[in-house]
Amino acid sequence: MLELDGYLLAPSRPQFSLPFDTYDTWCLLLPIAGSFDYGIGDAQGTVKFGDIVVCPPGGTLHRRMRTRTSFFHARFTTELEPPPGRTRVRDLDRLRGNLALLGNSDTAIATHVVTDLVLMLRRTRLPQDPLVHSAMTYLQEHYASPDVSLTELAASLGISPSQLSRRFRTARGITPVSYLRDLRLQQARELLAETDQTLQVIAEHTGYRSAFYLSRVFSAQTGHSPSEYRRTTRV
């Protein structure tokens, strides 16, 4: 879905190293504290926390700090087509949570963070589909059940599973199956970081029937075992 080419979590500084740069890949730039001006083609403006700037491959990103600024910068390739320019995300708590993961991260965790940021951008900018919104609400309310059936969900919405998958991908950039998995893994990450619950208990709270299966999915998606993730986030 996304391959990270490089990233930088920069502490507060008075100015960027370069006033502009051109990239062969997608790039993403966001302030953690402070603010800066940006320009990409005809688009320009001021960026503060909660805003994310995306420059497409081949584009030139101009930037100038207005105040001392700490920031996160990443270069990546992806088929998700994030919206270029400046986007203000709605879920600031989720943004803070993603940035907190970067404090003691490696490339696997940073890749997950950038992927989630791109998905947040798409959810903010893409047209809303009421049917997809209903499906998302259902999955958000029932992700902890291992018996969630996308076939039954599609039937309740009056469409086929393939139609649901197609409309969901158009609206959100991912399939309902991937969205459900991401909901479960997000909750698993929070429980690993914030509680001492066993992996079996966490599995039961996140829709997985066994600790073994949760561990396999978690490792495949993050590049870390649950125990490694818990240890890293608690350093």
Side-chain angles (χ1 to χ4, degrees), residues 56-103:
T60 299
L61 173 61
H62 297 261
R63 59 277 178 118
R64 181 179 64 85
M65 290 185 183
R66 299 175 65 90
T67 63
R68 290 186 65 91
T69 302
S70 56
F71 62 89
F72 176 61
H73 177 261
R75 294 176 290 105
F76 56 94
T77 56
T78 182
E79 298 178 355
L80 291 174
E81 295 289 330
R86 177 185 59 189
T87 302
R88 184 153 189 87
V89 301
R90 301 188 185 102
D91 194 343
L92 296 184
D93 287 338
R94 184 166 185 167
L95 176 59
R96 292 187 185 96
N98 274 321
L99 295 175
L101 291 176
L102 294 168

Side-chain angles (χ1 to χ4, degrees), residues 5 17-29 39-41 54-63 73-76:
D5 296 315
S17 299
L18 297 172
F20 63 90
D21 208 344
T22 302
Y23 304 93
D24 295 329
T25 62
W26 291 93
C27 84
L28 174 153
L29 179 65
I40 304 173
V54 172
C55 184
T60 299
L61 173 61
H62 297 261
R63 59 277 178 118
H73 177 261
R75 294 176 290 105
F76 56 94

